[in-house]
Each structure stands twice: as C-alpha cells, then as structure tokens.
Amino acid sequence: MRTTIVKRLLQMIPMLVVISIISFALIKLAPGDPINSFVTPDMNPTDVERIRQSLGLDQPLYIQYFRWLVNLCQGNLGYSIINSQPVLEQIIERIPATLGLMGTSLVLTLILAIPLGLIAAAYENTWIDKILNGLSYVGISIPVFWFGMLLINFFSIKLGWFPSLGMRTIGENSFKDMVWHAVLPVVTLTFQGCASYYRYVRSNTINQLKEDYVLFGYAKGLSKLRVLAYHVLKNALLPVITLLGMSLPQIISGAFITESIFSWPGMGSLGINAIFQLDYPVIMAITLFSALLLIIGNLLADIAYTIIDPRISGKE
C-alpha cells in the first residue's frame, strides 16, 4: 500500500506539469487581451506598450510560462493582473466561504442521497421508487443556474423569505445572518448533487440485493432494514467513494456558476471574474489547484476502497 501511494505521489509531478502547460497555452490562445482593462481611448500607444512590458506580457509564450513555473516552485503564485494583489492571499481569503458552502451542501447530499437510494432499491418499481426516480431525473436534467434563478425569483423576490445575493447583510456579522444567506445556494447545490449520488446508490444497491449474501441474510431471518444497513450499505458505497474523490476539487475551488448567481464571495466567483478579465495568474492558480485536488481525491478514494473492501488490497 505504501509503495502504491508513493508511486501515485511521484506521478503527480509530471501530470501537473503537463496540465499546467496545456492550461497556460489555452489561456493564452483565448481571445481578448488583459491590457484592455487598463487602456483608455485617448491613451498613447507607447503607454500601452509600457503597461504590457511591466506585466511581462511582451515576452514570448515559453518565457512567460518558464517564469511562472519558477515562481511556482518558490511558492509564489504571482500577482493578479487586474488588482495587483498576491494570488495566494486572494485564494486564502476566499477558501473559507467556499468550504462552508460546498461542505454543507455535500454533507446534506450524502445524508439525503444514501438512504433514499437504499429505499428506492429496496422497493424497486413501486410508487416510492417511481417518485424518487422522477425527482432525480429532474435534478439531473435541470440546469443549475436556472434552478438557482427559480429559487431566487420565488423565495426571495415573491415571498421575501431569504436574501438573494451575498454572504452577509451589510453591517450584520452574526452567524444566523450568514446561514440565512446560505440557504438558497445550499439548496441549489444539494438538489443537483443529491440527484447524481442517488442514482449511483440506487443502481449499485439493486445489484447488491441480487447477491447470495443477501439471500443468506434473509434465510437467517434478518429484516430487510437490517440487511440493507449492515450488509448492503458498505458494498453500495463503493461508487460513492469515487464520486467523493472527484468532488474534492469542487469542494475547495467552489461551484463557479452557483457562487456567481448568488454573489457568494468564494473561489468560484473569483474564478469567473478572473476568466472574464483574463487574469492569467489567478486562472492558472485555480486550475492547477483543482487538478492537484482531483489527483489527491482519486488517491484518497483508492485508499478508502482498500479500507472498506479488504479484497482490493488482497489483490494488490
């Protein structure tokens, strides 16, 4: 197991280098010029070129990438082109808001999706299963931005129950106020995530219910609830572990669309603003950060597999 972990960690380095090269090239090939944020109609072309030189954007692409890579190896993510603030400080400032939002929605998703998936599988093709399947199809099909806008229109504009934008009310720093602002974005993310997780749990549970150990449990006189909770659940969670590993980058980097809709001051909104403004250092930092977390998430998922199912470690 240790050998596998060490190999995977060593493989991260070339993977991240390749990802950074591709990301850097794609960003530079994107239409637009970040200098336009500083240019005014009456500005002298000489001044425009001086700004470009001061930002290092006049150098060839490979030199710009090499400078960025050297700074990265020194722990320096660079400075934002738009506001000249250190990228690392902006990320650290935004992470708590994203962790609170994404972490809460993920916990609620698991609390709802796992038992609902087990129930639907246990009562397959009944009215309970059909209702839950219908809701899951809606959750998977509906665009998250549209669902968020529906919630804002109904619960914020028409009913006035919840605030529509931001993380806090101006002049109010209470925890209750923050929770009140988080209700709609958390519901948006939970509804979408629950639909996906539910489908995986239900499908895998149906397959597990056909196994011999389930029939043996019924033969021993165990109730359906006990068989599901103590025997089927552990095996049905294996695909969920994979999803959790792939969700790790999103938990940290944020839901770009949802945070933008609700003006939530997290990593997602930071990334969207950086993309629109062609803020290369911020885009590269978030992209590389997300790629690193995805690799780590997959590694943690593999480790969790061996803990839950010892047969996997035996095969290794």
Side-chain angles (χ1 to χ4, degrees):
M1 187 62 186
R2 289 183 178 179
T3 304
T4 302
I5 294 176
V6 172
K7 288 182 178 179
R8 293 285 294 274
L9 291 176
L10 292 176
Q11 291 173 357
M12 289 171 52
I13 299 176
M15 289 178 63
L16 290 175
V17 172
V18 172
I19 291 173
S20 66
I21 293 174
I22 295 175
S23 301
F24 198 87
L26 290 176
I27 292 172
K28 293 296 183 177
L29 290 174
D33 190 344
I35 299 299
N36 294 334
S37 302
F38 305 94
V39 175
T40 59
D42 57 343
M43 183 174 290
N44 192 299
T46 305
D47 296 331
V48 175
E49 188 61 29
R50 187 180 297 113
I51 294 175
R52 189 181 303 276
Q53 292 177 359
S54 65
L55 295 175
L57 299 177
D58 60 323
Q59 299 294 328
L61 183 61
Y62 68 92
I63 294 180
Q64 294 184 43
Y65 173 78
F66 182 74
R67 287 181 175 177
W68 175 84
L69 187 61
V70 170
N71 291 330
L72 178 66
C73 294
Q74 297 175 352
N76 180 14
L77 296 179
Y79 291 83
S80 169
I81 294 178
I82 303 303
N83 55 33
S84 301
Q85 297 297 316
V87 175
L88 183 59
E89 290 185 5
Q90 295 184 65
I91 291 177
I92 293 175
E93 181 183 354
R94 300 270 188 150
I95 280 182
T98 293
L99 281 178
L101 180 64
M102 302 301 299
T104 302
S105 63
L106 180 61
V107 170
L108 291 176
T109 295
L110 296 177
I111 291 175
L112 294 173
I114 293 176
L116 290 177
L118 291 173
I119 293 172
Y123 298 96
E124 185 182 5
N125 295 326
T126 64
W127 64 271
I128 297 176
D129 185 34
K130 292 178 181 178
I131 292 176
L132 293 176
N133 281 338
L135 292 175
S136 70
Y137 288 135
V138 173
I140 294 173
S141 303
I142 189 172
V144 64
F145 71 90
W146 190 65
F147 184 66
M149 293 173 66
L150 285 179
L151 294 181
I152 292 175
N153 181 64
F154 187 73
F155 290 103
S156 296
I157 298 177
K158 292 186 177 180
L159 298 180
W161 289 358
F162 301 102
S164 60
L165 302 174
M167 182 177 171
R168 295 183 183 276
T169 303
I170 297 177
E172 181 68 45
N173 294 319
S174 65
F175 179 75
K176 179 181 178 181
D177 180 69
M178 184 179 64
V179 171
W180 213 239
H181 279 77
V183 170
L184 293 185
V186 166
V187 170
T188 302
L189 292 170
T190 301
F191 183 68
Q192 183 192 44
C194 188
S196 300
Y197 278 82
Y198 160 83
R199 300 296 303 175
Y200 278 93
V201 175
R202 177 186 178 274
S203 176
N204 205 38
T205 302
I206 291 175
N207 293 330
Q208 292 299 319
L209 289 174
K210 299 176 183 178
E211 297 292 332
D212 292 338
Y213 73 88
V214 175
L215 298 177
F216 180 73
Y218 288 146
K220 290 174 60 178
L222 299 179
S223 64
K224 180 179 290 188
L225 178 61
R226 189 172 182 84
V227 171
L228 286 173
Y230 291 94
H231 301 283
V232 175
L233 177 60
K234 184 170 69 173
N235 294 318
L237 287 181
L238 290 178
V240 176
I241 294 175
T242 302
L243 287 178
L244 284 174
M246 297 178 65
S247 298
L248 185 58
Q250 189 181 31
I251 294 174
I252 305 298
S253 61
F256 279 49
I257 298 177
T258 305
E259 288 190 2
S260 298
I261 292 173
F262 292 96
S263 297
W264 191 264
M267 292 284 292
S269 58
L270 176 65
I272 286 291
N273 292 333
I275 292 172
F276 283 137
Q277 297 173 336
L278 295 177
D279 198 343
Y280 300 145
V282 176
I283 298 174
M284 284 299 300
I286 294 178
T287 301
L288 199 65
F289 197 36
S290 299
L292 176 63
L293 291 173
L294 181 59
I295 297 172
I296 294 176
N298 287 331
L299 176 59
L300 294 177
D302 291 342
I303 295 174
Y305 268 131
T306 60
I307 295 175
I308 292 179
D309 191 350
R311 295 172 298 178
I312 297 178
S313 58
K315 293 177 182 179
E316 294 180 355

